[in-house]
Amino acid sequence: MFEHVRGKRIANLCGSNGRKAVPLALLGAEVTVFDISEENRKYAFELAASAGIPLEFIVTDIYEIDLKAYGGYFDILYLEGGILHYFGDLDKFMNILYGLLHDGGQLILSDFHPLGRCISSDGEVNYFDTELKNGDVAYKGAFDVDEQKDFPDVSIRLYTLSDIINSVVASGFRLKRFDEHRGWNNENIPWEFTILADK
């Protein structure tokens, strides 16, 4: 997927601390990260400086991206790592993604497989539950219990696979490929999926 990114404009949405953006820039892409965290921006700039590459990082709520400045600007949108559950309005999110790409641009979306959560929860997660819920911020469990008290809750909404695919198609994208992936330990569970779609 990333063999020919030199000279391409890539938006890494919810790009966290630049751990994927920096390698893409090293491959010759012009990368812009959109993420809500100022702390992630600081880390990403340190990482980019160590790698000796330029990186643009816009601290913003994804719903508030300036489409006057970035509408139709990007060749590729890259999203990964389990982000969809942070968006309460999936159709609005997909429409923003569609607006960021120029005609002929490509969406690469890799996320947690909705069935994987249900299977691994031993039935505690309802696949068809659409309610907005409070959840833990990512990696909270990796910190000491005392530190965890200072972490805020986040709002999450789970989507079915059909919710996701239908939202991609309804926004105007042409679905090119859909792949399901096992977990890191080769579990017999659909743990992640990847969607390739064109504008």
Side-chain angles (χ1 to χ4, degrees), residues 37-57:
S37 170
E38 177 63 33
E39 290 78 12
N40 280 341
R41 185 189 71 83
K42 290 176 186 174
Y43 186 98
F45 279 150
E46 289 177 15
L47 185 60
S50 294
I53 52 94
L55 184 69
E56 184 176 16
F57 196 112

Side-chain angles (χ1 to χ4, degrees), residues 76-138:
I76 299 170
L77 304 181
Y78 179 50
L79 304 89
E80 57 82 34
I83 61 166
L84 294 180
H85 57 272
Y86 292 125
F87 293 92
D89 187 337
L90 190 59
D91 291 338
K92 180 178 179 180
F93 178 62
M94 289 298 168
N95 285 326
I96 290 167
L97 298 183
Y98 189 82
L100 290 170
L101 276 178
H102 66 68
D103 289 344
Q106 184 177 49
L107 168 69
I108 303 170
L109 168 63
S110 182
D111 210 284
F112 299 141
H113 198 298
L115 281 175
R117 283 189 285 250
C118 294
I119 294 168
S120 64
S121 75
D122 293 324
E124 290 182 24
V125 174
N126 178 352
Y127 184 73
F128 294 101
D129 186 358
T130 60
E131 295 297 315
L132 199 61
K133 300 185 181 317
N134 283 340
D136 289 337
V137 69

Side-chain angles (χ1 to χ4, degrees), residues 123-163:
E124 290 182 24
V125 174
N126 178 352
Y127 184 73
F128 294 101
D129 186 358
T130 60
E131 295 297 315
L132 199 61
K133 300 185 181 317
N134 283 340
D136 289 337
V137 69
Y139 305 111
K140 178 179 177 179
F143 290 83
D144 291 332
V145 175
D146 288 339
E147 288 181 276
Q148 290 182 29
K149 295 174 189 170
D150 296 329
F151 281 69
D153 283 345
V154 294
S155 294
I156 60 171
R157 177 167 181 233
L158 303 180
Y159 295 98
T160 65
L161 204 49
S162 59
D163 289 335

